Amino acid sequence: MILAANWKAYVEDTKKAKALAATVKRLALKSPHTFIIAPSSAHLALFAKAGKKNFQFAAQDMSVAAGGAATGETTAVQLKNLGVAYAIIGHSERRAMGETDAEVSGKVVQALAQKITPILCIGERVRDADATYLQGLRLQLSSVLSAVAPNERGSLVIAYEPVWAIGRSAREALSPGDLAEMVLYIRKVLAEHLPARAAAKVPVLYGGSVEPGNIRDLAEGGRVDGFLIGHASVDSATFSTLVKQVP
Ligand code: 13P
């Protein structure tokens, strides 16, 4: 399993960030799972070089620009130089600030060019009775896959994060059965752009109110390869408890 901790802007204190990273490193040492921490970009430089084996770092976002006059941006090359192995791209909180599918695709292409693994976030804002949200999801995924060279499409990690399930509680998260259905759907779309064997190997994660109380059921019944965890990843005790629940 991949257990990716998206710290968002929850962790502002540098001491806290260091202590939390040390906890995750200890957990990784005695675990068969892969741990990925996504701190804020201000903290990324503190840690990213420490990433090794099943303990790695991700950017929470990155620039679509390949350097040059792009004030405030952090490029794929800069992240690579820091030792960053992954980049969360297309998170719904970035899309809500205006990020388009075209920008998301451009960022994924930039990341892949530096051998940074994109964790591509997709997910519907709301669900409708006619299931037209599935079309939106297909579009989010297809637009990126079409922009990526066929031989690189298998190098992505997909994070399915329904926006309505983010930042709530375990009770309001997606059910394991619904998650399994969504993962099948995502794999179907992947198989339209990739050879079947390569499509089956792309890790699909779930994010949206993953907590100690629901991670076991989601892992056992959700057909996922891991999780992208927000609020439950920024407290050492909670995250340690959550990790113990992962089968
Ligand atoms: P929560 O776990 O806080 O719902 O956040 C999920 C998420 O957005 C991870 O990227």
Side-chain angles (χ1 to χ4, degrees):
M1 286 265 163
I2 295 173
L3 301 173
N6 179 4
W7 290 356
K8 307 193 178 188
Y10 287 125
V11 184
E12 293 183 280
D13 182 69
T14 306
K15 267 198 200 141
K16 178 178 173 181
K18 285 184 177 166
L20 201 49
T23 300
V24 179
K25 189 173 182 180
R26 273 198 302 278
L27 291 167
L29 275 176
K30 49 186 183 185
S31 171
H33 306 301
T34 296
F35 291 74
I36 303 169
I37 302 176
S40 79
S41 55
H43 289 155
L44 205 49
L46 292 175
F47 310 118
K49 281 268 186 277
K52 59 175 182 225
K53 293 188 189 155
N54 68 332
F55 176 68
Q56 296 291 343
F57 288 87
Q60 292 181 8
D61 185 27
M62 50 164 277
S63 184
V64 70
T71 303
E73 294 291 296
T74 305
T75 67
V77 172
Q78 290 165 337
L79 294 173
K80 188 70 190 177
N81 288 341
L82 284 182
V84 171
Y86 296 84
I88 296 173
I89 299 177
H91 192 280
S92 59
E93 286 151 20
R94 305 300 317 168
R95 293 182 193 258
M97 291 178 208
E99 189 174 63
T100 63
D101 282 335
E103 283 163 338
V104 171
S105 301
K107 291 178 179 187
V108 167
V109 169
Q110 290 287 342
L112 287 170
Q114 298 307 320
K115 303 263 183 291
I116 291 172
T117 302
I119 301 176
L120 171 65
C121 298
I122 57 169
E124 75 280 3
R125 302 197 70 74
V126 286
R127 288 203 161 184
D128 54 306
D130 305 333
T132 48
Y133 64 89
L134 291 177
Q135 284 310 318
L137 209 60
R138 169 185 292 273
L139 195 67
Q140 283 182 334
L141 190 50
S142 297
S143 60
V144 171
L145 292 170
S146 311
V148 170
N151 65 339
E152 290 192 313
R153 291 176 188 164
S155 306
L156 270 70
V157 171
I158 309 297
Y160 171 57
E161 299 207 317
V163 181
W164 52 267
I166 292 177
R168 294 173 181 270
S169 65
R171 266 181 298 115
E172 295 163 281
L174 198 64
S175 71
D178 283 352
L179 178 56
E181 274 182 20
M182 294 309 296
V183 173
L184 283 179
Y185 180 73
I186 288 164
R187 293 213 174 282
K188 192 171 138 230
V189 179
L190 283 168
E192 291 165 10
H193 298 268
L194 278 160
R197 282 180 88 188
K201 281 193 194 144
V202 172
V204 179
L205 316 183
Y206 168 72
S209 299
V210 177
E211 294 186 344
N214 62 356
I215 194 164
R216 178 175 286 272
D217 287 347
L218 289 166
E220 287 175 345
R223 287 178 170 257
V224 281
D225 304 293
F227 298 94
L228 186 50
I229 304 145
H231 63 270
S233 74
V234 293
D235 175 76
S236 288
T238 306
F239 192 64
S240 303
T241 310
L242 176 147
V243 170
K244 282 197 200 115
Q245 298 300 319
V246 182

